[in-house]
Structures are given as C-alpha cells and as structure tokens.
Amino acid sequence: ILQAMPPARAGQLLASGGLGAAAEAALRHPGSAPLHTAVVDLLSAASGPRPDKLRVQAGGAGGGETSMAAALVRLRTVPLLVSSVRAFHGDVPLMLAATGLLGALLRTEAGREAARGCDAAGALSALADRHPADEELQREMGILRALIETEELEEMLRRAGAIIGPDGGMTLVGGGGERESEPSGGG
C-alpha cells in the first residue's frame, strides 16, 4: 500500500509544477502503462487518503489555500484516471490505484463534474463489464458511477448501503453480510 507523503512536501510538489507536469506527461502518452502507473502512484501519494480535506497553497496570483482535490481536478487528474481505466483495465494494481484516487476526487462536486465531462461512468461500466464475475468490483464500480451521477452524495451512499465513518473509512453493507472496506486512513 502506497504511503502518503507529508502534506508540506505534497504542497511543495504542487506549487513547483511537478504534479502538473507529471499529469500532463501521462495525458500526452495514453499508451504507456509504466508512466500511468508512476503518475497515478505519485498523485495518490501526494493527495493522501482524503484530498478533499488536505489543504495546500493554491499558488499563482491568488496564492490562498485550496484543497488538494480541487488542485488535482484543475490539473486534469480526472481525465487522466479515466484514460488509465480505459487503456489498462487488465492491470489490477493500476486499476485499484486509479479507481481509488478517482473515488477520493468524486467526494467533491468539481471532481464529479469533471468525471461527467469525460464519461468516467462509461469507463467504469466498461471496466465492470470486463470483470463480470467479480462481485466486489461490480459493487464498487456501481458506487463510483452513482457518485458521478448524483448531486446528493450522502443520500446516494445511504441508498447504496455505504456508511462513511468519522475517519473517512467506508463500510459497505450488502446482501446478507457486511464487509469493511479499507479505511481511507491508508491502512
């Protein structure tokens, strides 16, 4: 499991343009699985488990604070993640990392809007279609698709049987049993 980098270092990497350059490189090379893997891992480490809660300096003329999630959305991270899901659906570690970061960005309206703009729901449906026997993947892709399509995040999670704990960990409650997902605290 990838360890999050210290928030100050993540902020410095963002402010220096390093995260943006990495994301842009991956977008320019959609067929390079090693590059996508490295960039998704870098973005995941920089954002930590809750990029919507991580505050960083926005940089630029405004210079105020913003969330890491907002900064990543501005860097076109959502289209990058969707590109990874579409191109490398057989690379399980990359899929886990890409859909994990996508799920974290979908906690924000800007992330959901960006996902709608690049047909992330279609990419997630195609991923689920490629793995019809994997019930866990089916459920998780269904939750991510519902996040994209809904305006009311907490209501959608309730209907899907997901309970978000105070630490950001998610419990999925489903047919006949209960499964605890990995806490978003990094494991």
Side-chain angles (χ1 to χ4, degrees):
I1 291 183
L2 194 64
Q3 184 171 344
M5 67 178 64
R9 184 171 300 146
Q12 290 169 345
L13 192 55
L14 176 66
S16 73
L19 293 179
E24 189 60 34
L27 283 165
R28 289 177 186 244
H29 299 279
S32 175
L35 178 59
H36 277 250
T37 298
V39 171
V40 170
D41 285 349
L42 172 66
L43 295 171
S44 296
S47 68
R50 289 294 306 266
D52 56 321
K53 301 290 185 192
L54 178 61
R55 306 300 297 174
V56 294
Q57 289 299 313
E65 270 195 359
T66 188
S67 73
M68 179 60 86
L72 291 179
V73 169
R74 281 194 301 276
L75 293 177
R76 300 184 339 132
T77 299
V78 173
L80 164 64
L81 298 170
V82 171
S83 172
S84 295
V85 167
R86 286 188 193 285
F88 310 113
H89 54 82
D91 184 334
V92 174
L94 178 53
M95 284 306 88
L96 292 174
T99 57
L101 181 54
L102 180 60
L105 296 178
L106 293 176
R107 293 175 183 254
T108 69
E109 181 53 39
R112 291 188 298 277
E113 187 174 312
R116 288 190 286 275
C118 64
D119 190 28
L124 296 170
S125 290
L127 177 62
D129 289 347
R130 288 183 178 98
H131 302 276
D134 188 334
E135 291 179 18
E136 182 177 339
L137 181 115
Q138 296 293 322
R139 183 169 178 86
E140 289 173 6
M141 295 308 101
I143 289 171
L144 293 178
R145 286 191 314 265
L147 278 169
I148 293 165
E149 296 164 357
T150 189
E151 299 290 325
E152 298 294 327
L153 177 59
E154 298 214 4
E155 173 62 16
M156 186 284 312
L157 289 171
R158 186 191 62 72
R159 282 185 282 137
I163 302 166
I164 303 295
D167 68 345
M170 183 167 52
T171 301
L172 299 176
V173 181
E178 191 172 295
R179 180 178 66 83
E180 183 81 21
S181 72
E182 187 172 302
S184 67

